[in-house]
């Protein structure tokens, strides 16, 4: 049987971005979890085989950030979550400039499809959670359900103000008999 996964966008879903405290995350000390994120990921870990992060990081292509810095940020994120009993199993990122026309930048589904192939994931039983319409588009193109963090996104299957409030719906929906083969 194939595995299930939650694909999480990073900035605006897992951590703060464009807040009073931090504009962009360019070093580990600038990564601040949004309220309830460790608890939400811990709950998702109990139900899904994988919790994966898929993130556009155009700052690399724009020379605001080096890949080594991004790896340090992601290592820090994973280790801080682990201290709280929450696990992100892997991170995929697009390093290209926003208008580079690459295949991996969301709304293209390549990051999700590559992760699905790597971990034998059934995309039809998985979810993409994001705070931008491009996240939801990438999930839909890959074949997942889409959960939008924010106020409104017509393409999404559900909309919630934050990851923690979305978690119970995701878990309940994943156990819905019509969703399982």
């Amino acid at each position: 049987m194939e595995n299930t996964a939650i694909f999480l966008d990073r900035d605006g879903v897992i951590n703060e971005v464009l807040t009073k405290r931090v504009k962009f995350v360019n070093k580990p000390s600038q990564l601040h979890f949004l309220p309830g994120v460790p608890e939400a990921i811990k709950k998702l870990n109990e139900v899904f085989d994988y919790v994966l992060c898929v993130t556009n990081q155009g700052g690399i292509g724009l020379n605001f950030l080096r890949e080594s810095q991004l790896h340090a940020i992601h290592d820090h994120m994973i280790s801080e979550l682990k201290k709280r009993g929450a696990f992100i199993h892997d991170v995929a990122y697009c390093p290209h400039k926003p208008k580079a026309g690459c295949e991996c930048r969301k709304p293209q589904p390549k990051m999700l499809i590559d992760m699905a192939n790597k971990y034998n994931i059934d995309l039809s039983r998985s979810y993409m959670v994001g705070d931008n319409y491009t996240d939801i588009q990438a999930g839909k193109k890959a074949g997942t359900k889409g959960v939008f963090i924010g106020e409104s996104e017509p393409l999404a299957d559900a909309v919630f103000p934050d990851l923690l409030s979305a978690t119970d719906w995701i878990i309940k929906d994943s156990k819905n008999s019509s969703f399982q083969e």
Side-chain angles (χ1 to χ4, degrees):
M1 184 165 155
E2 291 182 310
N3 297 309
T4 58
I6 294 287
F7 295 93
L8 301 175
D9 175 48
R10 195 190 82 185
D11 298 331
V13 174
I14 294 174
N15 59 273
E16 292 180 22
V17 67
L18 302 175
T19 63
K20 287 180 183 175
R21 185 165 35 174
V22 61
K23 186 172 179 184
F24 297 108
V25 179
N26 290 322
K27 52 188 174 183
S29 63
Q30 295 172 325
L31 187 120
H32 302 284
F33 293 119
L34 288 164
V37 164
E39 297 87 341
I41 292 174
K42 191 173 178 177
K43 285 173 105 174
L44 293 167
N45 288 144
E46 294 171 8
V47 177
F48 291 88
D49 298 304
Y50 293 99
V51 175
L52 305 165
C53 179
V54 288
T55 178
N56 288 343
Q57 292 296 322
I60 293 171
L62 295 168
N63 295 316
F64 294 128
L65 180 70
R66 290 188 314 276
E67 267 185 279
S68 60
Q69 291 171 287
L70 184 65
H71 289 290
I73 292 163
H74 290 157
D75 290 347
H76 173 72
M77 173 182 74
I78 289 167
S79 72
E80 288 301 308
L81 285 167
K82 193 174 183 179
K83 289 177 188 174
R84 295 167 171 91
F87 300 94
I88 289 182
H89 299 95
D90 203 349
V91 179
Y93 61 92
C94 169
H96 306 109
K97 292 178 186 176
K99 300 203 183 316
C102 62
E103 292 180 18
C104 54
R105 186 173 181 84
K106 294 176 288 178
Q108 298 307 319
K110 187 176 186 321
M111 286 191 285
L112 286 83
I113 292 167
D114 287 350
M115 287 278 211
N117 290 333
K118 183 176 179 178
Y119 294 106
N120 191 34
I121 292 166
D122 180 349
L123 290 166
S124 72
R125 293 172 49 232
S126 299
Y127 296 77
M128 175 69 216
V129 182
D131 67 329
N132 193 302
Y133 73 96
T134 57
D135 299 317
I136 305 306
Q137 286 179 318
K140 291 293 182 177
K141 288 177 183 179
T144 71
K145 283 198 173 185
V147 178
F148 185 74
I149 303 301
E151 293 183 15
S152 169
E153 173 48 51
L155 191 60
D157 294 285
V159 176
F160 291 92
D162 54 58
L163 183 59
L164 186 59
S165 62
T167 299
D168 288 339
W169 180 88
I170 293 168
I171 291 169
K172 184 179 177 189
D173 190 67
S174 73
K175 293 179 179 178
N176 182 338
S177 60
S178 66
F179 197 53
Q180 299 197 347
E181 297 298 311

